[in-house]
Amino acid sequence: MPMSLGNAFIKNFLGKAPDWYKVLIIAFLIINPIVFFFVDPFVAGWLLVAEFIFTLAMALKCYPLQPGGLLAIEAVAIGMTSPGQVKHELVANIEVLLLLVFMVAGIYFMKNLLLFIFTKILLGIRSKVLLSMAFCFAAAFLSAFLDALTVIAVVISVAVGFYAIYHKVASGNPIGDHDHNNDETIPELTRDNLEDYRAFLRSLLMHAGVGTALGGVTTMVGEPQNLIIADQASWQFGEFLIRMAPVTIPVFICGMITCALVEKFKVFGYGAELPDTVRQILVDFDTEERKTRTNQDVAKLWIQGAIAVWLIAALALHLAAVGLIGLSVIILATAFTGVIEEHSMGKAFEEALPFTALLSVFFAIVAVIIDQGLFKPVIDAVLAVEDKGTQLAMFYVANGLLSMVSDNVFVGTVYINEVKAALVEGVITRDQFDLLAVAINTGTNLPSVATPNGQAAFLFLLTSALAPLIRLSYGRMVIMALPYTIVLALVGLAGIVFFLEPATAWFYQVGWIEPHMGTITEAVSSGH
């Protein structure tokens, strides 16, 4: 019996999302105007924020762009904010949008070099503890200069490649003809090896995911919210790195120690070794690849290496906006590696543009928060605390808890905007603002490793085609992240409370950074 037109509309709405989820989103859209016009706009604003956070938390059921976008469109339509305010937020954060559009696409054209590096790491280190630390360190280093999503995408590509190689040999089928989801084609003699191999890959991917958080928190380009915070504080690359150091250095050291300990004692799902039979398969494949590598392929690796040096130098010296540096990477990488067809370049933008659109919706919700003054009572209460150490700790904890269940870009943007408003209004001093900005940045980056909702890199891994192959579920990811969550959150809090103020004072004394960088007048004139 053919489907009625009415049922067809219902079926098409939000596609394959569960029916209960569709009903809930429709209920949100009906309730919001009623609360806004007949109850209280302030209450309606908080209700909208809660609904938007819900769409982020349910990202595995439906990508947040569609339901969150509907909520944002309705908010503008009923007057909770204005198109002009949304545009203002987008213009104020244009560097973040450029970062996502151009930098992620630029790194796409350097994947060969990154794949080459991770392959050598995987096959060159026999000790699982050292290998895990190497993956974590490499992901941290790369994430300090590149986008974390790009880094985890490279690691996933490496893991998918090696998983496919194993299946090719284990099943006796060519990779192109083999169904990787069909474990029944694998001989029973290899099943134990397969389970060990899955556990091995799971642990490496989780270490790399945490590494993106350890490195991403350190620099202004490591995570999108870092760039927003740096822009609001008028910090350049070097100053951002130094101001974060009292928190990020202890966290990084303790994070690496945690990596070694969970592997050494084989707890929380870690400790699985690479089976010798699988290692031999991978080594043989790498040898064959090396034999077939042409001079043209080698030349591309050298070019990409040189571009990587340019990228790091340009970011460190802040030669241009981060997104424009990414655009230069696209031009250089494609020009010198022969990628000149339009359709070949289009693939590079596929990963970043959906998230760029989602981030634009974030800024629409931020516009509602600003116009309705939703966070002002909370911010005022925290700023009223006289003890600076307690005040910083409260900001760190508040950001951390919200970032565990929501997106850290959203949380960081909201809080830094409110603190900047307090600076402009003369409620806090510039020195106090700088310390609070550090607390906001570290609070949104470190505790958020607790769940895939908080870390975009974790969510990207969980929703990848590799996750079901290696049996990486939401629950397993939360359990494997738990030791890191505890260590990173507590060490970060200790850094905020005990190290940040004295270390910042010492940085001023030795001249590494200047106090009172920027003024209230500059803040007003910049439009933030």
Side-chain angles (χ1 to χ4, degrees):
M1 184 177 178
M3 182 183 299
S4 68
L5 186 60
N7 287 335
F9 277 113
I10 295 173
K11 193 73 174 177
N12 287 339
F13 180 67
L14 298 183
K16 296 180 179 179
D19 290 341
W20 64 264
Y21 184 86
K22 297 179 181 182
V23 171
L24 208 54
I25 296 300
I26 292 173
F28 291 163
L29 294 172
I30 294 173
I31 292 171
N32 288 344
I34 296 174
V35 176
F36 181 73
F37 289 113
F38 299 106
V39 181
D40 182 36
F42 186 82
V43 174
W46 269 111
L47 183 61
L48 177 72
V49 171
E51 293 165 353
F52 186 70
I53 291 175
F54 170 79
T55 66
L56 297 176
M58 293 289 107
L60 298 182
K61 301 294 184 184
C62 177
Y63 192 65
L65 174 62
Q66 290 78 17
L70 290 173
L71 293 171
I73 291 172
E74 182 185 63
V76 174
I78 65 178
M80 297 179 78
T81 187
S82 65
Q85 183 65 36
V86 175
K87 179 184 176 182
H88 172 77
E89 291 302 316
L90 290 172
V91 171
N93 296 288
I94 187 64
E95 283 204 36
V96 179
L97 300 178
L98 291 177
L99 163 69
L100 290 171
V101 172
F102 292 127
M103 185 62 80
V104 175
I107 302 307
Y108 175 88
F109 296 108
M110 297 176 61
K111 275 189 175 181
N112 289 341
L113 175 65
L114 298 173
L115 287 169
F116 177 80
I117 293 172
F118 276 101
T119 300
K120 294 304 178 185
I121 293 174
L122 181 61
L123 296 180
I125 302 176
R126 297 297 295 254
S127 166
K128 179 63 188 305
V129 173
L130 292 179
L131 178 62
S132 299
M133 295 180 70
F135 256 70
C136 190
F137 179 84
F141 178 79
L142 290 172
S143 295
F145 298 97
L146 312 176
D147 180 72
L149 279 175
T150 304
V151 175
I152 202 67
V154 170
V155 178
I156 290 172
S157 299
V158 174
V160 167
F162 283 128
Y163 192 83
I165 296 163
Y166 171 75
H167 267 276
K168 175 186 176 182
V169 176
S171 65
N173 294 329
I175 292 178
D177 298 334
H178 179 59
D179 179 8
H180 301 312
N181 290 298
N182 184 11
D183 294 341
E184 299 306 317
T185 61
I186 304 170
E188 284 296 322
L189 291 175
T190 66
R191 186 161 296 279
D192 288 342
N193 286 340
L194 175 61
E195 294 305 321
D196 291 341
Y197 191 33
R198 281 172 170 160
F200 173 82
L201 290 177
R202 278 199 304 268
S203 61
L204 286 187
L205 285 164
M206 286 300 296
H207 290 313
V210 172
T212 63
L214 291 174
V217 69
T218 59
T219 67
M220 61 183 284
V221 297
E223 293 281 356
Q225 73 270 19
N226 299 21
L227 198 58
I228 295 171
I229 292 169
D231 180 57
Q232 296 284 40
S234 301
W235 294 342
Q236 300 302 320
F237 190 92
E239 183 177 1
F240 187 100
L241 183 72
I242 293 172
R243 285 189 179 276
M244 297 298 156
V247 182
T248 57
I249 290 177
V251 165
F252 177 78
I253 293 172
C254 292
M256 295 300 295
I257 293 173
T258 303
C259 176
L261 290 178
V262 294
E263 284 293 340
K264 178 71 174 176
F265 295 102
K266 300 184 178 181
V267 292
F268 295 97
Y270 296 101
E273 300 282 350
L274 178 63
D276 291 336
T277 53
V278 180
R279 174 178 290 276
Q280 191 56 50
I281 291 172
L282 301 180
V283 169
D284 291 344
F285 180 84
D286 184 57
T287 302
E288 186 64 27
E289 283 288 294
R290 191 165 55 249
K291 289 179 180 178
T292 57
R293 187 174 292 128
T294 65
N295 285 339
Q296 194 172 4
D297 295 328
V298 174
K300 289 180 180 179
L301 292 177
W302 278 104
I303 287 294
Q304 290 174 12
I307 294 172
V309 174
W310 149 251
L311 173 63
I312 294 173
L315 290 173
L317 299 175
H318 200 70
L319 299 181
V322 177
L324 297 182
I325 294 173
L327 179 59
S328 74
V329 170
I330 295 176
I331 295 170
L332 293 171
T334 54
F336 288 97
T337 58
V339 181
I340 57 173
E341 296 83 10
E342 183 179 0
H343 70 275
S344 298
M345 297 185 64
K347 296 178 182 178
F349 295 89
E350 291 178 359
E351 292 181 4
L353 287 183
F355 190 72
T356 305
L358 178 59
L359 194 62
S360 299
V361 174
F362 289 168
F363 293 136
I365 304 299
V366 169
V368 172
I369 291 173
I370 292 173
D371 281 350
Q372 300 301 324
L374 302 184
F375 277 58
K376 188 171 178 57
V378 179
I379 299 294
D380 289 346
V382 176
L383 293 178
V385 177
E386 295 184 2
D387 182 68
K388 280 190 176 182
T390 303
Q391 187 183 85
L392 291 171
M394 290 177 67
F395 260 89
Y396 176 87
V397 171
N399 279 271
L401 291 175
L402 196 53
S403 293
M404 287 182 182
V405 296
S406 179
D407 186 272
N408 44 21
V409 179
F410 171 66
V411 177
T413 302
V414 168
Y415 270 90
I416 196 65
N417 280 340
E418 293 296 332
V419 174
K420 187 63 173 280
L423 171 65
V424 172
E425 294 168 5
V427 177
I428 59 175
T429 64
R430 175 66 206 212
D431 284 342
Q432 192 177 3
F433 169 83
D434 289 335
L435 295 175
L436 289 172
V438 175
I440 293 170
N441 183 69
T442 53
T444 55
N445 276 289
L446 299 176
S448 60
V449 301
T451 69
N453 301 330
Q455 278 287 338
F458 278 13
L459 187 60
F460 187 70
L461 172 58
L462 185 63
T463 55
S464 70
L466 179 64
L469 297 180
I470 62 175
R471 306 297 188 263
L472 184 60
S473 64
Y474 188 101
R476 179 170 271 168
M477 183 175 281
V478 170
I479 292 172
M480 295 183 76
L482 183 59
Y484 283 112
T485 302
I486 295 171
V487 172
L488 268 58
L490 293 181
V491 174
L493 180 60
I496 289 292
V497 174
F498 300 111
F499 305 145
L500 181 58
E501 285 191 80
T504 302
W506 185 76
F507 293 150
Y508 290 156
Q509 185 178 351
V510 298
W512 286 7
I513 54 176
E514 295 292 331
H516 309 294
M517 294 290 289
T519 64
I520 294 177
T521 304
E522 290 173 348
V524 174
S525 63
S526 68
H528 295 323

